[in-house]
Amino acid sequence: MKGAPRIGVFVCRCGTNIASVVDVPSVVSSAKSLGKVVHVEENLFSCSESALEEIARTIRRECLNRVVVAACSPRTHEPIFQDTLAKAGINPYLLEMVNIRDQCSWVHKADPVEATRKASELVRMGVAKASLLEPLEVSAVPVERKAVVVGGGTAGLRAAADLASMGFETSIIEKSDRLGGTLLSYREAGVDLESKAVLGNLIRSIEDNGVVVRTGCTVESVEGSVGSFKVLLSNGESLVAGAIILTPGGSAVAASQEVERAISSLDFDRMLGGGSSPSHVSFIQCVGVRNGDRGCSRFCCLKSLLQALEVRRRGGEASILYRDLMFYQRGAEELYREACEAGVRFFRCDGPIVFKGGRLRFSSPIDGEMSLRTDVLVAGVGIVPSDSIPELSRILKVPMSSEGFFLEKHPKLAPVEFATDGIFVAGCAQYPCDLRETLMQGSAAAAKAASILSRKMLQTSPLVCVVDEERCRACGECEAICKFGAARVSVESGRKVSRINPALCKGCGTCAVSCPSNAIEARGFTGRQIDEAIAALLGGTG
Amino acid sequence: MSWSPRIVAFCCNWCAYAGADLAGISRKQYSPDTRILRVMCSGRVDPAMVLRCFEQGADGVMVLGCHPGDCHYLSGNEVAEGRIESAGETLSLLGIDRRRLLLKWISASEGDLFARTASEFAAMLRELGPLGGDSNSS
């Protein structure tokens, strides 16, 4: 900022809200005595249309280059006064607000003397900080109107199809050599008609909308930030994208490892698909899940129920051994009733089982010691996180839950978003979900990504942290403490330094404190500004 | 005229400062000794800033942030907790009663808690007396 600070202070009466308790003329007169303050006035309502115009005129007339408004909360009124500064032709970040309503008149009604003293001291702190304010520029970054979807299973296909149908150039990166993920295996088994219909529909949809598919390919590294990511692939290609959706899915627990001589739900689908009609089938639920860290996989009870019904249709006997039955999906309760009527038997069992010589032996707290004739034992296996998740978590700096699934920003407020802007999650990579939930999440992630991709430019706040590269010793403390991956140590013109990506930085300032070289400044809340405010409060009379 | 403690309260923008706003909006009356200094996150509060407050004669300092798990920046408050803990240890070494430094979580919806905290902290400092009077201060 050119020239010495010329600070203007505007003290609001807020009608009687402030003035009935705080002696406003006294606050004005004490502000007049402060250094660098060249103009002080009181307003009936500083935020009224006429007062704002008058403030803008005063800024021009008095050549003010810093403004302190002593009124209410910056949380509600800062944008209004910033706008006035801009209209008066000075940078909007040269404003400091002091809250003498919420922090003085409204809360110290019984003590007008102390409330007035406090208001004057808060103004003194505000003026001190204002004298060190710097003009800051809002920058806008262009948005690459393209999306990259990592994982070509159900969630990824749905997300990609949705985005492409909205007109965004979309690529799917799939690790295996075929699209479809878990759904593809069930479709090929040939029994699950729903998987067949859904997968066919999804594949047609990505073809019709021109989604670019790369199979046998993984993500090597990701640079950049929301609006402009650069995704480097294992095949050497590099893609640009405004948003990234992660859908690496989950894997089924290996049935035979958990229960001797048992086959998985998928293998049993293959048996049924091959035309087999076993006469005595038992299902054991919660295999490999609901122990220690692992929660319920949610869809396996329903899957076994559907298979048991199919066994009954083919004239066989079907028994389900369960710990708890989870039929929470829409329509699942009705299917459970249908299965009961069709003669599927249910046994509560949470102890050990022995499957030997065509008999399944177990102890049930309800039915006692049991021995069931069993030709085929099916393990209703749960879902565990895909082994791609830790690697993607590391590359994209997005967090995992204690179970090893991806962890969203907030379970309700931001269920398919990560804390890092522009990266989204859907499907079994987040938690085990059934087909319907997976599809809904795919669509939700696509809609959220579209809210970024549909913009031409993204504005970034100037209230971010910046590194003084001369001072930086590249120790990496900032990189370690930043939860948003904004600070990164890299080599710049032959020298290792930390750089903070303003598009990723949220401006919390936590890194500024961690820096042992004092090389990081949190804009809008610099160490000097804060110290100056403290000194103004305490220094004078301390 | 009775002595009043001088108190600096570092409040994070998203929770504690908003809590103070709510105390105002809901007209919760509290002791007028606290001076709020707004920062974006409690993780912005440098132990050195806290020590400078005491150096310049503050009788008490509060660092008020979001509840664990609610931090607008994910975990700045947890970082703050460790730093304020270490600042407290430094205070002890300097012979300053550690109770003069308070770290507390106050959400945007806890106006009442903000008011109560400010009053209780001020009352405690009135008991302790001015900064120089701590038992083993040099």
Side-chain angles (χ1 to χ4, degrees):
Chain A
M1 194 77 202
K2 280 179 202 156
R6 291 179 60 81
I7 303 175
V9 181
F10 299 86
V11 186
C12 181
R13 297 178 69 88
C14 197
T16 56
N17 279 300
I18 291 170
S20 66
V21 178
V22 170
D23 179 358
V24 172
S26 150
V27 175
V28 168
S29 92
S30 85
K32 279 181 177 158
S33 68
L34 300 171
K36 295 165 189 156
V37 171
V38 296
H39 178 87
V40 188
E41 68 175 57
E42 60 177 70
N43 308 118
L44 184 57
F45 286 101
S46 297
C47 63
S48 68
E49 196 85 2
S50 56
L52 290 172
E53 284 168 17
E54 183 54 31
I55 290 172
R57 274 195 294 275
T58 307
I59 291 171
R60 281 193 291 260
R61 188 184 65 238
E62 302 290 332
C63 300
L64 302 179
N65 56 19
R66 306 284 191 290
V67 174
V68 174
V69 175
C72 52
S73 178
R75 288 176 51 87
T76 53
H77 282 61
E78 198 172 54
I80 297 169
F81 293 108
Q82 282 183 329
D83 190 47
T84 300
L85 266 65
K87 281 183 180 147
I90 66 171
N91 186 282
Y93 290 91
L94 296 169
L95 168 77
E96 180 65 16
M97 281 193 77
V98 176
N99 191 346
I100 60 170
R101 187 184 70 182
D102 303 67
Q103 292 171 22
C104 297
S105 63
W106 276 355
V107 290
H108 310 312
K109 283 185 187 180
D111 200 342
V113 174
E114 279 303 308
T116 302
R117 188 160 81 101
K118 180 174 176 180
S120 297
E121 290 187 9
L122 289 174
V123 168
R124 200 159 83 209
M125 293 167 76
V127 165
K129 186 182 170 191
S131 69
L132 293 173
L133 289 176
E134 293 287 334
L136 302 173
E137 297 305 326
V138 175
S139 55
V141 292
V143 176
E144 294 284 354
R145 305 179 83 177
K146 297 171 184 171
V148 165
V149 177
V150 184
T154 311
L157 289 170
R158 168 55 75 90
D162 283 9
L163 282 170
S165 74
M166 289 182 243
F168 302 114
E169 192 181 314
T170 307
S171 306
I172 293 180
I173 312 303
E174 167 58 40
K175 192 176 178 180
S176 76
D177 55 5
R178 291 175 73 191
L179 291 178
T182 310
L183 199 59
L184 178 67
S185 312
Y186 280 106
R187 178 196 177 162
E188 288 181 339
V191 193
D192 187 337
L193 297 176
E194 200 180 24
S195 67
K196 197 170 178 180
V198 169
L199 190 56
N201 182 295
L202 287 173
I203 300 277
R204 237 186 344 272
S205 180
I206 65 156
E207 285 170 358
D208 291 350
N209 289 295
V211 173
V212 182
V213 176
R214 285 170 180 78
T215 50
C217 187
T218 56
V219 173
E220 292 274 299
S221 69
V222 176
E223 287 170 21
S225 51
V226 58
S228 179
F229 290 106
K230 199 168 134 194
V231 183
L232 188 70
L233 305 179
S234 55
N235 64 6
E237 257 186 290
S238 170
L239 302 176
V240 289
I244 298 173
I245 299 180
L246 301 180
T247 56
S251 330
V253 175
S256 56
Q257 268 177 24
E258 300 284 335
V259 186
E260 263 187 275
R261 286 181 286 278
I263 63 168
S264 70
S265 313
L266 177 59
D267 285 334
F268 190 54
D269 249 19
R270 291 186 180 122
M271 263 181 83
L272 292 171
S276 162
S277 301
S279 64
H280 290 83
V281 182
S282 296
F283 297 84
I284 170 91
Q285 296 305 113
C286 305
V287 172
V289 291
R290 300 186 70 211
N291 48 15
D293 268 358
R294 301 228 173 281
C296 171
S297 278
R298 294 172 189 83
F299 75 96
C300 9
C301 281
L302 184 58
K303 180 69 194 167
S304 293
L305 189 73
L306 288 166
Q307 290 182 328
L309 267 167
E310 185 58 30
V311 170
R312 294 294 294 144
R313 264 182 227 118
R314 297 186 187 191
E317 296 286 335
S319 306
I320 295 180
L321 278 60
Y322 65 93
R323 276 157 66 190
D324 299 284
L325 288 168
M326 304 283 192
F327 294 128
Y328 76 102
Q329 297 94 336
R330 199 166 76 191
E333 181 74 21
E334 289 78 356
L335 272 169
Y336 170 61
R337 262 182 259 137
E338 189 186 326
C340 291
E341 279 159 22
V344 174
R345 294 183 298 171
F346 294 88
F347 298 97
R348 177 140 199 193
C349 161
D350 51 14
I353 58 162
V354 179
F355 180 37
K356 220 162 149 186
R359 299 210 71 89
L360 183 67
R361 286 172 222 282
F362 59 94
S363 173
S364 160
I366 298 165
D367 305 286
E369 295 302 316
M370 296 292 303
S371 169
L372 292 180
R373 186 180 155 192
T374 300
D375 306 322
V376 179
L377 177 61
V378 182
V381 291
I383 288 278
V384 291
S386 144
D387 54 11
S388 307
I389 290 177
E391 183 69 356
L392 286 168
S393 164
R394 188 188 60 76
I395 292 171
L396 284 137
K397 281 209 168 190
V398 289
M400 295 190 293
S401 68
S402 58
E403 282 188 71
F405 292 103
F406 279 132
L407 187 64
E408 69 285 336
K409 184 176 176 183
H410 190 284
K412 299 179 195 74
L413 301 177
V416 295
E417 292 159 68
F418 284 110
T420 307
D421 291 339
I423 307 176
F424 304 91
V425 63
C428 284
Q430 193 177 10
Y431 62 85
C433 32
D434 70 358
L435 184 55
R436 194 181 311 172
E437 280 178 308
T438 304
L439 290 164
M440 287 195 292
Q441 284 186 44
S443 282
K448 281 286 171 189
S451 74
I452 290 167
L453 300 176
S454 56
R455 285 185 253 178
K456 284 201 177 82
M457 305 287 281
L458 281 178
Q459 289 208 331
T460 62
S461 166
L463 295 177
V464 293
C465 294
V466 285
V467 179
D468 178 346
E469 292 183 13
E470 292 296 309
R471 284 189 162 190
C472 175
R473 289 180 301 177
C475 67
E477 286 285 337
C478 49
E479 185 173 331
I481 211 163
C482 180
K483 288 285 170 190
F484 305 98
R488 291 219 178 169
V489 176
S490 58
V491 177
E492 300 289 341
S493 18
R495 184 168 165 260
K496 258 177 100 180
V497 288
S498 169
R499 285 235 168 130
I500 295 175
N501 181 338
L504 288 174
C505 177
K506 309 272 184 191
C508 65
T510 304
C511 62
V513 183
S514 76
C515 178
S517 318
N518 251 328
I520 300 179
E521 220 24 297
R523 283 187 175 154
F525 298 87
T526 68
R528 278 190 64 210
Q529 289 165 354
I530 293 170
D531 284 344
E532 199 72 10
I534 294 169
L537 173 66
L538 302 166
T541 53
Chain B
M1 178 146 169
S2 69
W3 169 82
S4 298
R6 301 164 67 77
I7 303 168
V8 178
F10 292 93
C11 289
C12 84
N13 183 60
W14 306 98
C15 293
Y17 193 92
D21 280 357
L22 183 62
I25 292 161
S26 37
R27 311 296 197 274
K28 300 284 179 195
Q29 303 300 302
Y30 58 89
S31 177
D33 319 283
T34 297
R35 307 287 179 262
I36 291 178
L37 217 158
R38 184 171 70 108
V39 286
M40 293 312 280
C41 179
S42 51
R44 174 68 189 99
V45 181
D46 194 326
M49 291 169 186
V50 171
L51 297 176
R52 276 197 284 278
C53 287
F54 286 110
E55 189 182 47
Q56 295 179 65
D59 299 299
V61 173
M62 293 192 281
V63 177
L64 308 174
C66 305
H67 285 275
D70 280 349
C71 177
H72 189 77
Y73 308 102
L74 305 176
S75 59
N77 52 355
E78 291 165 27
V79 176
E81 192 169 21
R83 288 173 181 163
I84 299 310
E85 179 68 21
S86 73
E89 283 163 22
T90 310
L91 289 185
S92 295
L93 291 174
L94 294 169
I96 294 172
D97 195 311
R98 280 180 75 154
R99 285 174 294 173
R100 292 181 184 276
L101 173 58
L102 176 72
L103 174 79
K104 200 171 169 106
W105 313 133
I106 295 176
S107 80
S109 60
E110 292 174 328
D112 191 38
L113 180 63
F114 181 89
R116 241 180 17 245
T117 303
S119 288
E120 287 170 8
F121 190 61
M124 185 202 69
L125 291 174
R126 280 196 172 84
E127 298 263 311
L128 287 176
L131 180 66
D134 290 351
S135 56
N136 56 343
S137 94
S138 50

